[in-house]
Amino acid sequence: MMLSLVLAAALSLGSCRRAVERAAEKIRLEEIEQVERQGLTGAEVVVRIANGTAHRLVLDDARVDVFYAGSRAVAATLREGVEVDPRTTQSVRTSWRLAISDPLALFALARKVAAGDISQVAVSVTAEGRGGPVPVNISREMVPLSEFLNTFGVTLEDVKNYLR
């Protein structure tokens, strides 16, 4: 998910609005193919990304913080950079280090997600990467989870399935 956000933003810098829209149409998160938890400290996520642009897309660093009722429950940090070749659709394996900040908030978060209530869940994101020669720095604070998921076409049911 984070990869496609950086990739779309990478091409938006230094361009006119029309060029940005065309580039954004050419970068898609096709599918989250696999989520594999690695104990309490890690996860591997395989995503299929379509890059219809002429630029190699790179995600160097990323961090996602998940909050429940204003308290940080967990932070996920990208372990190593990933790339998507130009004019390809490819599966990209991303490796994340997880740090539980508040076990009680994480427990409450898991229960609320299982019950379908994400009204008190928010996400903060920072990312650095490149779209061709253009550097990209993204930072979004306390975005409601529903808005964050909609950005990538992911549903709450998808999240529930990944957490099983």
Side-chain angles (χ1 to χ4, degrees):
M1 287 191 291
M2 179 54 118
L3 179 61
S4 63
L5 176 65
V6 170
L7 304 178
L11 295 174
S12 67
L13 298 177
S15 303
C16 70
R17 176 177 236 79
R18 186 169 160 86
V20 170
E21 291 170 357
R22 284 194 311 261
E25 291 172 0
K26 294 179 180 181
I27 301 171
R28 288 186 321 278
L29 172 67
E30 297 271 313
E31 181 182 5
I32 298 174
E33 296 178 343
Q34 180 181 8
V35 176
E36 183 179 317
R37 289 182 290 170
Q38 298 174 333
L40 293 175
T41 62
E44 285 197 356
V45 180
V46 179
V47 295
R48 187 170 53 238
I49 302 286
N51 176 12
T53 71
H55 302 286
R56 176 180 297 257
L57 305 174
V58 178
L59 178 61
D60 292 317
D61 293 304
R63 179 180 167 118
V64 178
D65 293 297
V66 181
F67 296 84
Y68 176 72
S71 179
R72 178 180 293 117
V74 64
T77 305
L78 187 66
R79 288 185 175 164
E80 58 187 49
V82 294
E83 299 180 358
V84 177
D85 293 327
R87 295 187 176 99
T88 62
T89 297
Q90 65 187 75
S91 295
V92 178
R93 180 173 296 278
T94 61
S95 180
W96 298 85
R97 182 177 55 249
L98 303 177
I100 298 171
S101 303
D102 184 341
L104 292 177
L106 183 59
F107 177 74
L109 169 68
R111 288 181 51 116
K112 290 293 187 172
V113 168
D117 178 9
I118 57 173
S119 62
Q120 296 186 60
V121 182
V123 179
S124 292
V125 176
T126 58
E128 295 178 8
R130 296 184 311 283
V134 180
V136 177
N137 294 308
I138 295 172
S139 180
R140 302 271 320 264
E141 296 296 323
M142 300 300 283
V143 177
L145 181 60
S146 58
E147 182 181 323
F148 184 77
L149 295 176
N150 287 339
T151 301
F152 304 103
V154 176
T155 67
L156 182 56
E157 287 303 313
D158 294 332
V159 172
K160 288 179 186 180
N161 290 335
Y162 302 143
L163 294 176
R164 288 188 183 141

